[in-house]
Amino acid sequence: MALSISADALKPLFLLLLLVYCLGSSTVLSVESDAEKLPKSDVDLVEFPLNLEYLEAEFFSWGAFGQGLDKLAPSLARGGPPPIGAKQADLSPIVKDIVAQFAYQEFGHLRAIDKTVPGFPRPLLNLSSSTFATFMNDAFGIALDPPFDPYADDINYLLASYVLPYVGLTGYVGTNPKLLSPTARGLVAGLLGVEAGQDAVIRALLYERALVKVLPYGFTVAEFTDKISDLRNELGKAGLKDEGLIVPPALGAEGKISGNVLAGDEFSLSYGRTPEEILRIVYASGKENKPGGFYPKGAGGKIAKSYLE
């Protein structure tokens, strides 16, 4: 026998279903709205790290594969000019595999930032051997002979890599307390975790070789890291925020050990840097309004460009 239900009896059910649907839709819309309507200050702060992410993506992809964003993920470059002087490094299989992982991680970082803020095209980057050679000369206060070549072998490439992710992670540490929205904080925390991991891997690989001399210079790997960190402190002009692989025990964890595979303050917390400090370092000029170094025409985004006006 067929069951007969009047239209009036179904009205409450229809209204309930409609209410559930509307509530569900409004929740989804509110989440999307939160992501799309970040405070302007958050947008600027989240966009700024694109500069470092572009730099690392190109350096690691060229080092591992001999090609960069323009071949492997052209949409991520957003039409920005190709980097100067980047090339494939002569790496052992294990180091090449690690660097390849770093490259793809950086591609992911670019996608994550692009999903959250408007972004900007890849700025002109100078990844030539001469840029790294000049940085190393400045670090030691002498002209290394022959000029340092970051692409020559494992040790040189790892030392050149030592220059990069750590600067980015200190930027994320410095940025996070300034962010207002949970969306921006969550993104930056996620980026910071992987950047810190990359830096830890690089430092661990170098720490294993800390007392090995970098040929043909006669300086050890540890001495190179000390000099690089000292130069970044000097360029940043904000005190001690950088440490090499071996430090006086007073500067080690709990003031009790010289090994320094991870850099940190007196509480073993990561140091933080401002965008201004980062620009002074990556421009290699000590001035946030004087481009050079890895960014011959300056970095992108509102914060960086504000110092060039």
Side-chain angles (χ1 to χ4, degrees), residues 36 40 45 51 60-61 82 106 116 138 143 147 179 200 218 224 238 261:
E36 292 172 358
K40 187 64 174 69
L45 287 168
N51 290 296
F60 291 138
S61 59
E106 296 303 331
T116 309
D138 291 344
L179 297 171
F224 263 83
V261 71

Side-chain angles (χ1 to χ4, degrees), residues 82-164:
I84 300 168
K87 61 182 182 180
Q88 189 164 14
D90 186 5
L91 304 175
S92 65
I94 184 63
V95 173
K96 181 177 180 179
D97 180 68
I98 291 170
V99 174
Q101 293 177 50
F102 287 177
Y104 287 131
Q105 289 163 8
E106 296 303 331
F107 290 7
H109 290 181
L110 290 172
R111 295 184 199 281
I113 295 174
D114 280 349
K115 282 179 62 178
T116 309
V117 295
F120 52 83
R122 173 187 57 197
L124 180 63
L125 304 170
N126 190 340
L127 291 170
S128 64
S129 297
S130 61
T131 299
F132 286 95
T134 298
F135 195 91
M136 296 302 183
N137 289 348
D138 291 344
F140 279 93
I142 60 173
L144 297 179
D145 186 22
F148 181 86
D149 181 2
Y151 303 104
D153 53 38
D154 282 358
I155 288 182
N156 280 26
Y157 193 83
L158 288 170
L159 286 170
S161 299
Y162 179 91
V163 175
L164 303 179

Side-chain angles (χ1 to χ4, degrees), residues 195-223:
E195 292 292 328
Q198 291 176 352
D199 182 63
V201 169
I202 293 166
R203 291 181 73 100
L205 290 171
L206 290 171
Y207 189 72
E208 186 180 20
R209 302 162 170 82
L211 301 182
V212 173
K213 289 190 175 181
V214 182
L215 299 177
Y217 308 114
F219 300 110
T220 66
V221 167
E223 288 174 315

Side-chain angles (χ1 to χ4, degrees), residues 17 19 26 59 69 99 153 159 191 205 211 236 248 307:
L17 290 173
L19 177 62
S26 65
F59 183 63
L69 290 176
V99 174
D153 53 38
L159 286 170
L191 293 165
L205 290 171
L211 301 182
Y307 294 106

